[in-house]
């Protein structure tokens, strides 16, 4: 159900801001797809960014990046002799909605008939971590699975890259504070690390 909600929400934002960008010359829409080269997940880490941006000067843009990320999270149990986190080898993911600021390092350069713009950027906002983590408690009379919710975290975005015409190539680092895994009794038995470094390629409308 979480994946369906993420897809529907992302599609809604994409359709809304595409319409706005077509009506106003001061706006554009950046769409990027990328992968996470250092993910500890058994599955490949991927992400999709959709970002409406407003040009506030020749060198600066402010935007709102909506990102869907899968297989970037690392789970750590504080005591594996008592608690086993059962989501390590399965798909995980989250949604982030991050206000951004981007700055072009110089005026647009003409390179082989294409406009070349290197840029740097940053952002801060909520990262809505994925639904529940399955915990298996051992060493008790009635060992059983428990579903434990993981709460959202505030994260920081650092990125750089360049635009060549309408194409974009970027490198980004999303720093997200570790989220505690807390069982119903209130005991914190582990953490979820969702920070990731990603490489992306995309285009602007």
């Amino acid at each position: 159900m979480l994946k369906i909600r993420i897809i529907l929400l992302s599609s809604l934002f994409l359709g809304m801001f595409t319409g706005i960008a077509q009506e106003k010359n001061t706006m554009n829409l950046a769409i990027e797809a990328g992968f996470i080269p250092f993910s500890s997940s058994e599955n490949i880490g991927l992400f999709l960014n959709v970002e409406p941006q407003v040009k506030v000067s020749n060198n600066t843009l402010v935007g709102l990046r909506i990102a869907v990320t899968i297989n970037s999270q690392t789970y750590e149990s504080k005591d594996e002799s008592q608690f086993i986190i059962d989501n390590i080898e399965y798909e995980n993911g989250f949604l982030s909605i991050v206000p951004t600021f981007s700055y072009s390092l110089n005026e647009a350069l003409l390179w082989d008939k294409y406009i070349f713009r290197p840029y740097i950027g940053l952002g801060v906002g909520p990262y809505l971590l994925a639904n529940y983590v399955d915990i298996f408690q051992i060493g008790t009379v009635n060992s059983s699975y428990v579903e434990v919710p993981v709460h959202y975290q505030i994260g920081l975005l650092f990125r750089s890259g360049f635009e060549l015409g309408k194409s974009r190539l970027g490198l980004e680092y999303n720093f997200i504070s570790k989220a505690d895994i807390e069982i119903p009794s209130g005991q914190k038995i582990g953490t979820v690390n969702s920070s990731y470094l990603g490489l992306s390629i995309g285009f602007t409308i």
Side-chain angles (χ1 to χ4, degrees):
M1 288 299 295
L2 177 65
K3 293 181 180 178
I4 294 175
R5 293 194 197 102
I6 289 175
I7 293 172
L8 290 176
L9 183 58
S10 300
S11 299
L12 177 62
F13 277 118
L14 176 59
M16 180 179 64
F17 285 114
T18 298
I20 295 174
Q22 290 173 345
E23 293 178 3
K24 296 185 179 181
N25 294 330
T26 59
M27 297 192 67
N28 61 32
L29 183 70
I31 301 174
E32 299 172 315
F35 74 100
I36 302 167
F38 304 113
S39 172
S40 62
S41 172
E42 296 292 331
N43 301 307
I44 186 170
L46 300 170
F47 61 91
L48 175 66
N49 297 337
V50 178
E51 183 178 352
Q53 299 173 322
V54 178
K55 186 176 181 180
V56 295
S57 75
N58 289 334
N59 294 79
T60 57
L61 292 167
V62 294
L64 183 67
R65 193 203 68 176
I66 301 102
V68 177
T69 307
I70 61 172
N71 299 327
S72 66
Q73 296 173 317
T74 301
Y75 300 91
E76 180 179 351
S77 175
K78 292 183 178 180
D79 187 355
E80 294 184 351
S81 65
Q82 294 187 36
F83 302 98
I84 297 175
I85 302 173
D86 196 40
N87 290 50
I88 297 177
E89 296 184 358
Y90 296 93
E91 291 187 355
N92 59 69
F94 58 88
L95 172 72
S96 60
I97 305 173
V98 180
T100 61
F101 174 85
S102 300
Y103 181 79
S104 297
L105 297 179
N106 52 268
E107 296 291 341
L109 300 177
L110 192 62
W111 183 74
D112 194 23
K113 299 181 181 180
Y114 292 97
I115 295 177
F116 176 78
R117 278 184 180 271
Y119 66 86
I120 57 174
L122 54 87
V124 58
Y127 287 72
L128 312 178
L129 306 185
N131 53 18
Y132 291 86
V133 176
D134 290 332
I135 305 298
F136 185 71
Q137 186 173 2
I138 58 180
T140 61
V141 176
N142 297 315
S143 298
S144 60
Y145 279 98
V146 178
E147 284 190 337
V148 180
V150 179
H151 303 293
Y152 79 88
Q153 301 289 310
I154 298 297
L156 297 173
L157 166 66
F158 305 93
R159 64 183 178 184
S160 64
F162 65 85
E163 295 181 345
L164 185 60
K166 295 295 184 179
S167 301
R168 294 167 59 92
L169 183 66
L171 175 69
E172 64 177 66
Y173 180 68
N174 293 261
F175 173 77
I176 308 159
S177 56
K178 291 183 179 181
D180 290 321
I181 300 174
E182 184 177 322
I183 58 178
S185 65
Q187 181 181 358
K188 296 178 180 178
I189 56 90
T191 59
V192 180
N193 184 0
S194 300
S195 298
Y196 68 92
L197 177 71
L199 299 171
S200 66
I201 186 170
F203 59 92
T204 58
I205 300 175

